Amino acid sequence: MRVCVIGAGIAGTLLAWRLSESVEVDLVTGPPGTDATAASGGGVRGFETHPVQRRLAIESLTELFQSLQEEAGYTETGCTYLLPSYAGLERAVAEVEHAHPGSTEILDRDELRRRGWHGLPEGTVGVCEKRAGFIRPDQLRTAVIRQLAAGPRSRVLDGPVLRLVPHPDGSVSCRLPGLSQRYDVVVVAAGPWTPGLLTGSALPAEPYRTKAIQVATYTVDGALPTMFVDETNDLFGRPTADGRLLLGVDTHRWAVPPGSSSPIPDLAAQAVRIAGERLPHLKLSAPDHLVSNADCYADPPVLTLWSVLGSTHRLFTFTGGSGGSVKTALAASRAAASDLLVTGETRTTTSRTENQRMTITEPGSRRTTPRYHTIGIGAGPSNLSLAALYKNVTTERLALFDARPGSGWHTPLLYPGVRMQTGWMKDLVSLVDPRHELTFLNYLVTSGRLYALINSQFDSLPRIEYERYLAWATERLGVVNFGSRVQTISITDDGFEVTVDGVPTAVSEHLVLGLGTRPVRPEYLRGLPAERAFIADDLADRIPALDKAAPTAVVGSGQTGLECVLRLLGSGFTDIRWLGRNQWFRSIDDSPMANELYRPSHIEFLQGLNRGKRREMIDDSRYSGDAITPGGLRALYQSNYDGFLSLGRFPVTLLPGRDVRASAPMPDGGIRLCCTTPTTPEEHDVRQVVVAGGREHVEAPFDDDLRERIEFDDDGQLLVEPDYSVRWKGMNGHKIYTFNANRYSHGLTNAGLTQLPVRAAIVLNSMFDREIYPITDELCAVQW
């Protein structure tokens, strides 16, 4: 296999070096001149607020200490990271301390002041690392390039690359001045040149952006601080080897051209002013030396391997994500090379901009089943929440498999005017990690619709908006295999094995079921004309052919029934009969007391009850959630009254207490519905029927051997532990978790959206056997 790495920054150079141990590699250096690596301050430390960045930084620091201190020119200064305290900070610091014992501690604001820091906002803490400092990234890069140039399987070519040309067989050509080379794999690690190179080759360049960086060095009168990062004011700095201070501040200047070197007016003065507020004992000269350049940023902010096309083409990017990648480049380059070069395995990576997962197999290699830490069956909100939290706390691999061809959520039922039954804060992540990049608020901001939605003053969020939020999150997660219906799940010596289209597709340590529900077609629909008697999921397709003036029945007293009635009414139907078995069309109880049932403290309370009592309490409170949005009923009544003013009668007749048990076709083509009522049976003759009631859980496709090991309760339901794990025999460390199928063990939050991230956090805590996300709910006036 021949690989081309484009870009001789620290990231690309280290990746080419890793690859050259196994395959032929060409490193294309790119345009001449000073780049971000040359301009980098070279800071290295273990602590980062982003969990994946932190793990890469810790692993990089470990390798640096073990073997590369001299080559990299490492100088130890210590590091102070100033930031607002947040939930999980202690665990994050413990990770650094575990890797480098005796190195890391958290300092409060008073201690920071004693150490010379002033003017810090209330709540600021400092993460202090003794084993941290800076390297000379240009020195390390030069040493690696020299080794590559002399290597038996590597070449160093002068750039720049003019164009990338993907070919149908998955290979990619690189066109250089006077030269065109074709490679099995091409990796673009060109830093700020990345988006321009991709765009110039007619390839997707999202989400890469360029940003200006600027640092200066100063002669100092006063004791030098450690290396530091101050999140409260965007200041950063470090001592230099010759006793000066390198200082910079975030430029907030985007879309600058690569290679930019024009100084930003007043930025150095701003850095000096802020430094004077924080470290007043320092007396700084005018800048002795000033460096300006550009670097590349993306979301998620992690240096990792990503597919450009999300297809079978072997074209990737390997660019910082958060700008300078010096502190994570060693570990990230090792992981990226492993993804490409593990002998005999299928390498899999994910596009930042596509929902498809891309699989790459080396020519001539033996295809084996890809291995993951966790596999999820289904890509609905439950498993998307798990995947979102998962990606921020571990570098382990997760994949979701879904039979649908693409992203969607109850798509056939998404009509204009349909509203959510939960508030927008109860998204995939916010209840346990409000700083996560996949919050609903971030979706609104990044998609440019924040003010439009706010000013629309919705009482309840449009359901179509929520589906688009899920699609947005799915795209950024990049772990969903759509069009992959899992046929069987087996347990092997290696873990769980899932089969798609008769082929073993993946193996994992753990399995998470997020299968959801599917509509049930009642028996009384059998024998009726399919074009006029169907379930709610088919309404959107059937409605154009229906007779708007003919009597139309909607059967089902829940939220879906209401939505079908509203859809028919809005489409001009004038004789709608809404039948439901309940004695009235109940609206959700959205009172403060009812909402107490959807808190972690109530879920915990339920776990302490015996099974019979728990079931009784859950049944008693079901209509706090299994009912209709009050706003929806209000909209129906208002629209119905408007219809009365126009027609002289109500276009919608509400018929509660009618339980449809049978039906019969009439000689004139009509349909007779036979109902029981609290008094006498009734018959209702209509022309067309929409059934909006009855859903059943989708069963997991366990093979016979695994199914025999699963433990079920007296009702045939999975026995589920408080941590959402399924009880089964012979697990040997492999766990099965389930969402949406444990109503009588976990209460009303089981299948709803209100506690998505809480459920996912409980599973992650159990899966990794430590408290990754604390689930605390102590400020509660109710004593259950």
Side-chain angles (χ1 to χ4, degrees):
M1 185 169 72
R2 296 188 66 202
V3 181
C4 177
V5 178
I6 302 170
I10 191 68
T13 302
L14 288 173
L15 177 59
W17 174 53
R18 306 281 196 194
L19 293 169
S20 67
E21 299 176 358
S22 305
V23 296
E24 295 181 7
V25 178
D26 285 353
L27 175 66
V28 181
T29 59
T34 302
D35 63 1
T37 295
S40 170
V44 290
R45 60 178 181 270
F47 178 75
E48 286 287 320
T49 55
H50 191 286
V52 178
Q53 280 275 74
R54 182 169 62 250
R55 281 162 179 72
L56 291 173
I58 292 170
E59 292 172 12
S60 294
L61 204 59
T62 299
E63 183 175 1
L64 176 70
F65 292 156
Q66 289 175 344
S67 58
L68 291 172
Q69 291 192 56
E70 184 175 345
E71 291 85 345
Y74 172 70
T75 300
E76 194 156 282
T77 65
C79 178
T80 304
Y81 197 120
L82 306 168
L83 74 166
S85 183
Y86 65 92
L89 176 63
E90 291 79 7
R91 296 193 309 278
V93 171
E95 291 178 27
V96 184
E97 178 66 14
H98 178 75
H100 307 291
S103 171
T104 316
E105 60 180 332
I106 300 175
L107 309 177
D108 61 21
R109 195 170 68 148
D110 291 340
E111 179 60 29
L112 289 169
R113 182 177 177 83
R114 284 191 286 272
R115 298 193 184 192
W117 294 94
H118 293 260
L120 296 172
E122 189 73 32
T124 300
V125 297
V127 177
C128 183
E129 288 182 68
K130 297 176 184 177
R131 298 223 66 189
F134 66 90
I135 66 170
R136 294 176 173 84
D138 216 6
Q139 175 180 313
L140 178 59
R141 170 176 61 178
T142 300
V144 173
I145 289 177
R146 189 180 302 118
Q147 183 175 335
L148 288 169
R153 286 182 293 200
S154 54
R155 298 187 301 172
V156 178
L157 305 177
D158 292 332
V161 173
L162 304 177
R163 189 172 179 83
L164 299 169
V165 182
H167 298 288
D169 65 352
S171 61
V172 182
S173 289
C174 298
R175 294 180 181 172
L176 284 69
L179 178 68
S180 180
Q181 295 278 351
R182 191 161 176 167
Y183 297 93
D184 298 301
V185 176
V186 172
V187 182
V188 181
W193 281 272
T194 298
L197 175 57
L198 295 176
T199 301
S201 302
L203 297 168
E206 294 181 352
Y208 299 108
R209 298 191 294 166
T210 59
K211 185 180 182 182
I213 55 174
Q214 179 172 299
V215 295
T217 54
Y218 302 83
T219 301
V220 177
D221 181 10
L224 285 168
T226 65
M227 179 176 72
F228 68 89
V229 176
D230 189 347
E231 274 196 4
T232 68
N233 57 21
D234 295 333
L235 187 69
F236 58 91
R238 67 163 175 81
T240 66
D242 58 3
R244 294 184 295 170
L245 182 65
L246 181 147
L247 207 60
V249 68
D250 193 337
T251 68
H252 298 290
R253 179 168 295 188
W254 296 94
V256 297
S260 299
S261 57
S262 300
I264 300 173
D266 300 327
L267 194 65
Q270 180 184 356
V272 170
R273 176 183 58 78
I274 297 174
E277 295 170 355
R278 286 289 183 265
L279 298 163
H281 68 278
L282 293 178
K283 307 300 180 186
L284 303 179
S285 68
D288 300 324
H289 181 62
L290 188 146
V291 177
S292 296
N293 214 282
D295 211 341
C296 191
Y297 289 71
D299 181 22
V302 178
L303 176 61
T304 189
L305 193 70
W306 292 94
S307 167
V308 171
L309 297 173
S311 68
T312 56
H313 290 94
R314 305 181 187 100
L315 176 61
F316 305 91
T317 58
F318 184 62
T319 294
S322 61
S325 55
V326 168
K327 57 187 171 295
T328 61
L330 286 170
S333 63
R334 184 172 62 250
S338 176
D339 281 345
L340 290 169
L341 298 176
V342 175
T343 304
E345 287 195 9
T346 300
R347 266 84 53 209
T348 305
T349 188
T350 307
S351 168
R352 292 185 192 264
T353 58
E354 295 292 332
N355 293 336
Q356 303 176 33
R357 176 163 290 278
M358 171 178 167
T359 301
I360 299 172
T361 305
E362 282 185 24
S365 68
R366 178 176 59 86
R367 183 184 179 96
T368 61
T369 306
R371 183 171 190 84
Y372 299 89
H373 178 269
T374 302
I375 286 173
I377 312 300
S382 295
N383 271 350
L384 289 178
S385 178
L386 177 75
L389 297 180
Y390 188 98
K391 85 181 195 68
N392 270 20
V393 299
T394 179
T395 56
E396 297 283 2
R397 298 175 66 198
L398 171 146
L400 304 181
F401 293 87
D402 197 289
R404 296 170 299 166
S407 183
W409 181 67
H410 296 305
T411 304
L413 301 174
L414 294 181
Y415 312 136
V418 174
R419 302 290 182 253
M420 294 292 294
Q421 293 178 299
T422 53
W424 65 268
M425 287 186 64
K426 295 178 179 179
D427 57 19
L428 297 176
V429 293
S430 290
L431 292 186
V432 298
D433 190 358
R435 296 173 57 163
H436 199 288
E437 65 268 26
L438 295 184
T439 62
F440 182 77
L441 183 59
N442 192 37
Y443 155 73
L444 292 178
V445 173
T446 57
S447 63
R449 60 185 69 199
L450 174 65
Y451 294 106
L453 184 70
I454 289 175
N455 291 344
S456 298
Q457 297 184 349
F458 286 107
D459 293 329
S460 300
L461 187 71
R463 194 181 294 181
I464 294 175
E465 188 75 272
Y466 187 77
E467 187 202 38
R468 291 179 181 173
Y469 161 63
L470 294 180
W472 172 84
T474 300
E475 180 179 351
R476 278 148 183 79
L477 286 170
V479 297
V480 182
N481 298 273
F482 286 114
S484 300
R485 183 180 297 279
V486 174
Q487 296 167 320
T488 58
I489 304 170
S490 308
I491 184 66
T492 70
D493 291 341
D494 295 326
F496 298 105
E497 181 179 84
V498 299
T499 300
V500 176
D501 295 330
V503 178
T505 303
V507 175
S508 69
E509 294 292 320
H510 305 295
L511 178 73
V512 183
L513 306 175
L515 296 168
T517 62
R518 61 189 171 202
V520 175
R521 295 179 181 270
E523 184 62 28
Y524 62 77
L525 281 182
R526 187 187 301 273
L528 298 180
E531 69 277 8
R532 291 188 289 113
F534 47 84
I535 63 172
D537 297 61
D538 299 332
L539 177 58
D541 294 330
R542 300 290 189 188
I543 202 169
L546 299 179
D547 183 351
K548 295 182 180 180
T552 302
V554 174
V555 182
S557 57
Q559 180 72 15
T560 302
L562 170 69
E563 291 162 4
C564 290
V565 171
L566 288 172
R567 177 66 184 273
L568 292 167
L569 191 59
S571 299
F573 285 71
T574 58
D575 188 358
I576 304 166
R577 323 282 178 86
W578 186 14
L579 295 85
R581 71 174 57 154
N582 294 326
Q583 296 311 304
W584 59 298
F585 294 105
R586 292 181 174 90
S587 60
I588 289 174
D589 183 352
D590 195 30
S591 66
M593 185 66 210
N595 280 300
E596 296 286 352
L597 302 173
Y598 296 86
R599 293 178 58 159
S601 58
H602 189 253
I603 300 173
E604 184 178 358
F605 164 71
L606 290 175
Q607 302 305 308
L609 303 178
N610 65 57
R611 182 170 172 270
K613 187 62 178 177
R614 183 167 61 229
R615 182 173 189 133
E616 177 187 333
M617 292 189 65
I618 291 169
D619 282 337
D620 181 63
S621 56
R622 60 173 295 194
Y623 291 112
S624 64
D626 290 351
I628 300 169
T629 54
L633 277 174
R634 188 181 308 114
L636 170 61
Y637 269 74
Q638 291 174 356
S639 297
N640 209 21
Y641 193 84
D642 286 337
F644 165 76
L645 294 176
S646 299
L647 300 172
R649 60 177 175 80
F650 289 114
V652 180
T653 303
L654 284 70
L655 298 165
R658 274 78 169 182
D659 187 5
V660 178
R661 295 295 184 92
S663 67
M666 304 297 291
D668 62 356
I671 298 170
R672 175 164 292 171
L673 300 178
C674 303
C675 313
T676 61
T677 76
T679 55
T680 60
E682 290 183 359
E683 294 178 345
H684 294 270
D685 293 344
V686 296
R687 181 70 182 175
Q688 41 223 9
V689 179
V690 184
V691 177
R695 300 187 73 86
E696 63 182 5
H697 290 289
V698 178
E699 290 190 2
F702 298 128
D703 69 4
D704 292 341
D705 174 56
L706 183 53
R707 184 171 296 278
E708 287 181 1
R709 303 188 189 195
I710 305 292
E711 296 189 27
F712 296 89
D713 62 21
D714 295 339
D715 297 321
Q717 302 298 313
L718 298 171
L719 276 174
V720 183
E721 304 287 1
D723 64 354
Y724 294 93
S725 64
V726 176
R727 198 181 299 175
W728 66 289
K729 303 177 183 69
M731 61 178 61
N732 195 27
H734 303 297
K735 288 191 174 184
I736 302 172
Y737 297 91
T738 182
F739 296 125
N740 311 326
N742 35 27
R743 182 183 188 93
Y744 290 116
S745 62
H746 288 72
L748 300 168
T749 63
N750 155 65
L753 303 177
T754 60
Q755 293 286 304
L756 287 177
V758 174
R759 293 187 294 164
I762 291 171
V763 167
L764 287 173
N765 290 346
S766 169
M767 186 180 291
F768 290 96
D769 197 24
R770 59 188 176 92
E771 191 182 53
I772 298 173
Y773 290 105
I775 308 298
T776 56
D777 184 21
E778 298 174 354
L779 192 63
C780 183
V782 180
Q783 295 184 16
W784 297 107

